């Protein structure tokens, strides 16, 4: 049975190639074709002998997802991809263009089991974890289709990365390897709703990778209503884990805070958030909520502009560094999960809520 070459770290491939009688430098040659030239067919790797190409073709595949849909923003070039995996499951990825860099926002699960009330991904259900190779392949596929060089990666697409911990860590190491993509660890961010024990483990396994916490509320009462997993891992447990993470890594931590009108955008919320983050090297991204159909009792509307500014001013008064995130891709289905959900609705694979 063929194996996905992208599921292997470099040294693992050296071992696998050795079993086939291939020298170490053959891995370098294949890596150059796959990661630099975006050639995924062994028969086209012309600096390998015909016998070696045949041998690799019989034992490995380089599985790149099939492009089902691609939306490109006319405003800022933000590009949203819908991919089909080898088993027919679908996932999303996003390319974000900045003046000095291109960032890939990639998925780690098919769907998401966390089911945050404001996230379209959770509304379409959860199927399975992605393999390390399926995570890595998103980066290669985006570079292929948009002819770009991705220099930054955020694990902030579909799924909760820390619930697929081993494959996420493996994919980071594959993407970091200088013989492959060679992306600096400090240009990789893992975003999580907060799995305390995995946050601490991440500090030991990948201390240079950046951490972002999707917090969205400063109290358990409000966060319970937004993030169901908070009933298992409280705000206090997450903050304790973040402090331990910082003790080990000395890294500043980003906190994502989706603002919802007249729910978590009050002055009191800002005061409590500032108190919660006291003593933490923190940076807060304030995110006006993306329009998405509500699945609960909370009315998911964007805050008024003055409420956003008030929230920011209160945090800054308490010396909490923050910014109101400038939106990208507002003219396309840029919010995570929207493109996939529309595809599944059209295929009749998820229930249409009225």
């Amino acid at each position: 049975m063929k194996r996905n070459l992208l599921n292997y770290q470099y040294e693992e491939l050296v071992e696998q190639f050795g079993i086939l009688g291939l020298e170490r430098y053959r891995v370098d040659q294949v890596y150059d074709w796959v990661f630099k030239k975006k050639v995924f067919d062994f028969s086209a790797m012309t600096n390998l002998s015909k016998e070696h190409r045949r041998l690799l073709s019989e034992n490995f595949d380089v599985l790149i997802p099939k492009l089902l849909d691609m939306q490109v923003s006319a405003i800022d070039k933000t590009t949203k991809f819908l991919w089909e995996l080898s088993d027919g499951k679908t996932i999303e990825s996003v390319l974000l263009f900045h003046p000095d860099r291109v960032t890939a926002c990639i998925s780690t699960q098919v769907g998401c089991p966390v089911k945050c009330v404001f996230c379209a991904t959770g509304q379409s259900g959860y199927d399975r974890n992605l393999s390390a190779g399926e995570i890595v392949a998103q980066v290669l596929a985006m570079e292929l289709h948009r002819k770009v060089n991705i220099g930054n990666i955020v694990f902030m697409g579909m799924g909760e990365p820390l619930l697929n911990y081993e494959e996420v860590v493996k994919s980071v190491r594959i993407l970091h390897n200088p013989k492959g993509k060679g992306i600096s660890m400090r240009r990789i961010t893992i975003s999580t709703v907060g799995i305390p024990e995995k946050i601490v483990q991440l500090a030991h396994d990948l201390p240079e990778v950046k951490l972002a916490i999707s917090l969205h509320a400063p109290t358990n009462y409000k966060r319970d209503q937004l993030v169901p997993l908070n009933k298992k891992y409280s705000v206090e447990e997450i903050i304790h884990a973040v402090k331990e993470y910082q003790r080990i890594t000395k890294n500043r931590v980003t906190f994502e805070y989706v603002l919802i009108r007249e729910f978590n955008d009050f002055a009191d919320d800002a005061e409590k958030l500032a108190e919660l983050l006291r003593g933490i090297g923190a940076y807060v991204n304030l995110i006006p909520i993306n329009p998405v159909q509500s699945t609960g009792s909370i009315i998911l509307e964007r805050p008024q502009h003055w409420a956003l500014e008030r929230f920011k001013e209160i945090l800054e008064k308490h010396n909490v560094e923050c910014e109101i995130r400038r939106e990208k891709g507002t003219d396309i289905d840029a919010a995570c999960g929207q493109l996939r959900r529309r595809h599944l609705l059209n295929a009749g694979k998820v229930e249409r809520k009225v």
Side-chain angles (χ1 to χ4, degrees), residues 193-213:
V193 297
I195 316 293
E197 65 272 17
K198 294 301 182 183
I199 290 172
V200 177
Q201 187 177 348
L202 189 69
H204 293 285
D205 291 339
L206 297 173
E208 295 183 357
V209 165
K210 294 179 180 178
L211 176 67
I213 304 292

Side-chain angles (χ1 to χ4, degrees), residues 226-249:
L226 297 175
V227 184
L229 198 61
N230 194 70
K231 294 171 184 175
K232 182 176 182 180
Y233 302 113
S234 69
V235 169
E236 291 78 16
E237 290 176 282
I238 293 167
I239 294 300
H240 179 76
V242 167
K243 289 180 178 178
E244 178 65 8
Y245 170 89
Q246 284 199 322
R247 185 191 68 78
I248 297 167
T249 67

Side-chain angles (χ1 to χ4, degrees), residues 1-9 12-13 16 34 42 59-65 86 131-137 140 170 174:
M1 183 177 179
K2 290 188 180 183
R3 295 157 287 165
N4 184 5
L5 181 137
L6 298 178
N7 278 328
Y8 291 90
Q9 296 181 65
E12 292 173 331
L13 268 186
Q16 293 298 316
V34 171
F42 293 112
N59 286 275
F60 293 100
D61 279 316
V62 182
L63 295 180
I64 302 299
S86 58
S131 69
E134 289 172 324
I135 296 170
V136 170
L140 298 177
K170 189 174 185 179
I174 293 170

Side-chain angles (χ1 to χ4, degrees), residues 52-118:
H52 288 164
R53 281 179 266 173
R54 180 194 63 77
L55 192 62
L56 290 173
S57 297
E58 288 176 353
N59 286 275
F60 293 100
D61 279 316
V62 182
L63 295 180
I64 302 299
K66 176 184 176 182
L67 181 63
L68 292 182
D69 197 358
M70 181 174 73
Q71 296 181 347
V72 181
S73 169
I75 299 171
D76 54 26
K77 297 196 300 183
T78 295
T79 307
K80 184 72 172 282
F81 302 86
L82 179 67
W83 309 109
E84 183 178 82
L85 304 174
S86 58
D87 63 355
K89 302 296 184 183
T90 55
I91 58 171
E92 294 179 3
S93 312
V94 181
L95 270 186
L96 302 171
F97 292 84
H98 309 274
D100 60 340
R101 66 192 186 280
V102 178
T103 298
C105 181
I106 59 178
S107 296
T108 57
Q109 297 178 307
V110 179
C112 184
V114 177
K115 298 183 179 179
C116 299
V117 299
F118 49 79

